[in-house]
Amino acid sequence: MSEIRFDGRVAIVTGAGGGLGRTYALDLARRGARVVVNDKGGAADGTGAGPRMADSVVKEIGQAGGIAVASYDSVSTPQGGAAIVKTAVDAFGRVDVVINNAGILRDKTFAKLEPENLDAVLDVHLKGAFFVSQPAFRLMKEQGYGRFLFTASNAGIFGNFGQTNYGAAKMGLVGLSNVLALEGAKHGITSNVLAPMARTRLTESLLGAAAATLEPECVTPLVAYLVSEECHLSHEIFSAGGGRFARIFVGLTPGWTKAAGAKVDAEEVRDHIEQIRDPRGYIVPGSIADEMKAALEAFRGQQRAG
Ligand code: NAI
């Protein structure tokens, strides 16, 4: 079995001072990547800051014979994102891989959520991923190669009580990645999304009996593969945790079509709602064009039937 290697490649891992990000940084460095270990430091709710977390992972990588530099900038501002990418360029001359992993939690039920707890979560997860990825994307376009991974969450993709801010930010990353995948395709740039499950400081109080099996290291192999040269998948979403790996996708049902441009009343929708919802024969559109194609085919099908 040939080894997946990152020799000559430069990777940025945000939020790599602990939890899942630390395992990604260690593994990519072990496989030959030069790594920017970005972490602002501080608490799980995003308060506080400090160099200790990023420094300790850089030290760990060095002790294992790898190459890494620390970055303490917050992802949550355009200046922070630019500084993180500049750290990679100044230290190693390029950027090949960006793993957007930095994250915080400010859980509250929707009725109680204050604007500051919405802003803080959107700033780190959603805007932070924009701010780091955009300067990196520009460099990747020039060099004709790049790998993006965005960290979503099953809390957003599937829903979880008390996490409207987090769920919205995480599902927003799916949209960001899908568009980036299309814009990057002709430049050798791929973009995918991960929904991990792991025991970290963000989740240790929530996982219950499953906690013992959910080592962060169980997620790492999928991450290493997705950001490798060998992987050409793009525009996809994966779930990983505890040794199980799976694909998540957004599907489109064949639905119900009366006729192209037909006036339909609410009662007809009611009477066809089970057909509209029926998942049999679904497709997984690769872009907006695929849905348009499916709609045009449905119109043509109805014309033939009529
Ligand atoms: P973690 O708290 O150990 O890791 C997040 C890291 O991001 C921390 O080291 C933190 O200091 C850093 N960080 C926070 N704000 C930052 C900022 N503004 N700039 C730079 N760094 C910042 O937690 P974990 O679980 O490893 O989380 C990693 C990612 O995975 C997060 O995006 C999280 O939302 C996501 N996730 C984790 C799940 C799990 O089961 N652990 C489930 C679903 C998603």
Side-chain angles (χ1 to χ4, degrees):
M1 193 167 67
S2 67
E3 195 188 352
I4 294 176
R5 296 288 307 172
F6 289 85
D7 303 295
R9 298 293 184 198
V10 175
I12 293 172
V13 185
T14 69
L20 286 159
R22 171 183 158 273
T23 73
Y24 309 156
L26 284 168
D27 195 55
L28 295 188
R30 186 176 67 78
R31 294 173 182 279
R34 287 164 293 165
V35 181
V36 175
V37 175
N38 163 259
D39 207 296
K40 180 182 81 65
D45 66 358
T47 54
R52 194 183 49 80
M53 294 176 75
D55 283 345
S56 76
V57 175
V58 168
K59 192 169 163 206
E60 225 178 329
I61 290 173
Q63 281 166 347
I67 300 172
V69 291
S71 143
Y72 317 114
D73 295 290
S74 172
V75 298
S76 65
T77 65
Q79 297 76 17
I84 293 165
V85 172
K86 187 171 183 301
T87 301
V89 173
D90 288 350
F92 305 129
R94 56 188 289 132
V95 181
D96 300 289
V97 172
V98 174
I99 301 177
N100 288 289
N101 167 78
I104 63 168
L105 281 182
R106 299 274 181 100
D107 292 356
K108 289 260 173 103
T109 56
F110 188 50
K112 292 184 183 152
L113 185 74
E114 312 86 348
E116 58 268 29
N117 287 326
L118 172 61
D119 289 341
V121 165
L122 291 179
D123 283 352
V124 175
H125 292 277
L126 184 56
K127 291 193 200 170
F130 267 90
F131 296 145
V132 177
S133 300
Q134 194 181 40
F137 182 77
R138 291 178 181 136
L139 298 174
M140 289 174 181
K141 254 180 89 174
E142 295 284 307
Q143 73 196 15
Y145 180 85
R147 297 282 180 270
F148 283 101
L149 188 66
F150 293 88
T151 311
S153 167
N154 41 21
I157 299 171
F158 302 131
N160 195 31
F161 189 93
Q163 294 195 303
T164 48
N165 52 354
Y166 183 75
K170 289 306 204 184
M171 205 56 192
L173 291 169
V174 174
L176 166 54
S177 177
N178 282 346
V179 176
L180 202 50
L182 297 176
E183 292 194 15
K186 64 176 183 292
H187 305 289
I189 299 170
T190 67
S191 183
N192 293 291
V193 176
L194 171 72
M197 280 194 296
R199 188 184 67 247
T200 67
R201 69 178 190 175
L202 288 189
T203 55
E204 57 199 349
S205 61
L206 312 169
L207 294 173
T213 51
L214 294 175
E215 294 290 341
E217 285 78 5
C218 294
V219 174
T220 320
L222 176 66
V223 171
Y225 172 64
L226 288 175
V227 300
S228 72
E229 267 167 60
E230 282 185 39
C231 180
H232 297 280
L233 296 171
S234 195
H235 195 280
E236 301 219 355
I237 313 168
F238 294 91
S239 161
R244 181 198 58 110
F245 303 93
R247 181 182 176 198
I248 299 171
F249 52 82
V250 178
L252 180 72
T253 69
W256 168 67
T257 307
K258 186 172 180 181
K263 299 278 179 294
V264 172
D265 56 35
E267 290 74 17
E268 285 175 286
V269 171
R270 176 195 62 202
D271 295 344
H272 290 90
I273 196 66
E274 290 313 321
Q275 190 183 343
I276 291 167
R277 295 180 63 245
D278 187 350
R280 281 173 297 180
Y282 72 82
I283 60 165
V284 181
S287 75
I288 196 171
D290 286 351
E291 183 179 22
M292 186 55 75
K293 195 165 147 242
L296 292 173
E297 277 166 13
F299 299 152
R300 275 198 293 275
Q302 283 311 110
Q303 268 164 9
R304 277 197 296 276

